[in-house]
Amino acid sequence: MDPLTALRELAMQGELDRITESGGEFHFGSSDWSFPCTAATAFRCKTGGFYTLDALVFFLRHYSLRHTDYLQSATQHQVPAVTFPDRKPLLDYLFGHTSASASIAVSLAPSAPAPAPLAPSSFDEYRPEDDPAHPQTQVSLDTADYVSMIRALERPLKDRDALLEAKNRDFYAVYLASTKREDERNRAEAHQRKDGLVAKTRISGRSNDDRANDKAGLAVTTGSALGAVPKQVVRVKGVPIIMVPSASQTLITIYNVRDFLEDGIYVPSDVKAKAMKGSRPDCVTVQKKLSRDRAAAVGAYEVRDKPSALKADDWDRVVAVFVLGKEWQFKDWPFKDHFEIFNKVLGFFMRFEDDSVESAKVVKQWNVKIISISKNKRHQDRAAALEVWDRLEEFMRSRSH
């Protein structure tokens, strides 16, 4: 009896567990049937060659696995694997669902040389050059020299070095775009320095004309420092002042107010304080750059956080305040209560949008505008800063009348 027939009989009887292995041979139950483990069976692989007995026994014991898992297991055990196209016809024949199969050799003469078994492989692939008995092997040997000649003439189209060289690619446009952005940044910084110089001149009263204008109560305009026609005249003696809390538990402080109002970006106060290495400024000049109206001018504002440092005439220049939500914030203010404060000064309260309602419980009783920002979405900060500037401009216009 040949190995395939003996294996089929036990498979049909459901007695595969009676197949034992010893001494490089498979023993089939209590019968005298025993075959070498690597003996070739009569079942031909669709890609060529014949399956060995150990390949079929291993497959019958693991066919319930997914094919990819089965291939990995066969590789680990160094057993030839059954290809995916052969799974169903092989199972149907071994379990008796079909009585014959086109993949079974009709006869294997005893005198004929044994068919070449499949070599163990981790891939579901048959390669003729690995099978010396396959007729294509001789053709492969004959063409080996031609293949080596072809490979000798091959030239790789791309490698790592070729990709880095970036041949036939023009990055000049990228260079121009980068230099253009750099030029625009330099021009913006130059304008900022010029606006800052104008603001400092106004604050220090270095110009005799400015002193005369301040004493006469002339206007500091919201017009451009470069000479644009002012859109509204605000009669304030000197540069307007915005007050911020000196406490660290508030969102807007003397450290980060410039980033928020000028650039529309919220930076935590502790981060800015560390960057400034602990040097606390007494006064910060803020330029009005953000506006929904592109023709709006750049105006200068002082930002301070020490009410006790203000003189009596400085209070006439206070136009806005960022509140902490605590009454003690106004203990050094020259007003009797917060009703008088927010009747003369525009109030803002900054909070995170997911903060509890209790954080703004006191503030809701005051005449202040609550501005909410996100803890993580920094691209939304600009809209919040624009809302502050819009309110401030409207308040300054009403104050001018």
Side-chain angles (χ1 to χ4, degrees):
M1 181 176 290
D2 66 283
L4 184 63
T5 304
L7 180 62
R8 184 170 184 263
E9 287 188 4
L10 287 183
M12 292 174 60
Q13 297 172 7
E15 298 179 350
L16 291 175
D17 55 341
R18 295 178 58 191
I19 301 176
T20 59
E21 179 183 358
S22 64
E25 292 186 345
F26 281 120
H27 300 277
F28 288 73
S30 58
S31 64
D32 296 332
W33 300 338
S34 62
F35 305 95
C37 295
T38 57
T41 67
F43 203 96
R44 187 190 301 274
C45 177
K46 290 186 182 298
T47 57
F50 292 86
Y51 288 112
T52 58
L53 182 60
D54 57 347
L56 299 185
V57 172
F58 186 85
F59 172 67
L60 288 177
R61 290 174 176 173
H62 300 87
Y63 73 90
S64 59
L65 297 176
R66 291 188 309 175
H67 192 65
T68 54
D69 296 336
Y70 157 72
L71 291 177
Q72 293 178 358
S73 181
T75 302
Q76 293 174 358
H77 290 82
Q78 297 182 348
V79 177
V82 173
T83 63
F84 186 79
D86 286 330
R87 285 178 62 94
K88 188 176 186 310
L90 182 59
L91 290 173
D92 289 343
Y93 176 75
L94 291 178
F95 284 110
H97 302 308
T98 58
S99 58
S101 174
S103 300
I104 298 177
V106 177
S107 62
L108 291 176
S111 60
L118 293 177
S121 173
S122 59
F123 299 99
D124 192 0
E125 178 184 7
Y126 172 75
R127 296 183 297 178
E129 62 269 20
D130 294 337
D131 184 6
H134 196 274
Q136 189 176 346
T137 304
Q138 186 62 36
V139 178
S140 300
L141 294 175
D142 294 339
T143 59
D145 294 337
Y146 296 102
V147 172
S148 61
M149 291 172 60
I150 294 173
R151 288 180 178 174
L153 297 174
E154 286 181 348
R155 180 177 61 85
L157 295 177
K158 288 184 180 180
D159 56 13
R160 258 173 40 180
D161 295 335
L163 290 174
L164 291 175
E165 289 175 2
K167 294 181 178 179
N168 300 324
R169 289 178 174 84
D170 184 11
F171 291 97
Y172 185 65
V174 179
Y175 169 74
L176 289 179
S178 63
T179 55
K180 182 179 179 181
R181 287 195 296 268
E182 184 67 22
D183 292 341
E184 291 175 352
R185 188 182 302 110
N186 292 336
R187 284 196 296 270
E189 291 177 355
H191 286 308
Q192 292 176 18
R193 288 193 295 270
K194 186 172 183 179
D195 292 336
L197 182 60
V198 173
K200 289 180 180 178
T201 302
R202 292 175 179 174
I203 294 170
S204 62
R206 184 174 60 188
S207 170
N208 293 331
D209 293 337
D210 287 345
R211 292 196 194 96
N213 291 342
D214 291 344
K215 291 180 180 179
L218 296 180
V220 174
T221 69
T222 57
S224 171
L226 301 179
V229 178
K231 298 184 65 175
Q232 184 59 262
V233 177
V234 181
R235 299 195 177 277
V236 178
K237 293 182 179 181
V239 179
I241 296 176
I242 300 174
M243 299 296 296
V244 296
S246 59
S248 59
Q249 61 266 34
T250 183
L251 295 187
I252 298 298
T253 65
I254 198 75
Y255 292 109
N256 64 354
V257 64
R258 177 178 291 168
D259 294 277
F260 180 70
L261 292 181
E262 284 191 357
D263 302 326
I265 299 176
Y266 170 74
V267 181
S269 296
D270 56 345
V271 175
K272 292 295 296 185
K274 290 180 181 179
M276 298 172 68
K277 298 181 180 180
S279 60
R280 185 186 187 89
D282 295 328
C283 177
V284 173
T285 301
V286 174
Q287 309 293 330
K288 182 182 175 299
K289 303 174 185 177
L290 300 179
S291 177
R292 301 185 193 277
D293 183 3
R294 293 186 178 273
V298 175
Y301 290 81
E302 285 185 47
V303 181
R304 300 192 181 190
D305 66 347
K306 294 180 181 178
S308 59
L310 268 63
K311 299 178 182 178
D313 56 347
D314 290 335
W315 286 102
D316 294 333
R317 296 191 288 130
V318 177
V319 296
V321 58
F322 284 86
V323 301
L324 177 62
K326 307 292 182 181
E327 293 280 359
W328 54 260
Q329 180 183 355
F330 306 105
K331 66 178 181 178
D332 293 326
W333 287 51
F335 305 106
K336 60 182 180 180
D337 53 31
H338 61 269
F339 295 104
E340 183 180 0
I341 293 174
F342 300 120
N343 189 39
K344 297 181 178 180
V345 178
L346 183 63
F348 297 100
F349 176 69
M350 295 288 298
R351 66 186 291 272
F352 287 125
E353 58 188 7
D354 55 351
D355 283 349
S356 64
V357 180
E358 293 295 325
S359 63
K361 185 177 181 181
V362 176
V363 177
K364 287 184 176 180
Q365 302 174 9
W366 299 348
N367 184 24
V368 301
K369 174 62 179 177
I370 299 177
I371 305 292
S372 299
I373 61 174
S374 172
K375 286 185 177 180
N376 303 310
K377 301 175 182 178
R378 298 279 65 84
H379 63 279
Q380 299 179 359
D381 296 341
R382 181 181 176 85
L386 282 172
E387 187 173 5
V388 172
W389 283 119
D390 290 345
R391 293 270 178 170
L392 186 56
E393 285 182 342
E394 182 181 356
F395 177 77
M396 295 292 281
R397 293 190 187 101
S398 64
R399 183 167 177 170
S400 68
H401 298 297

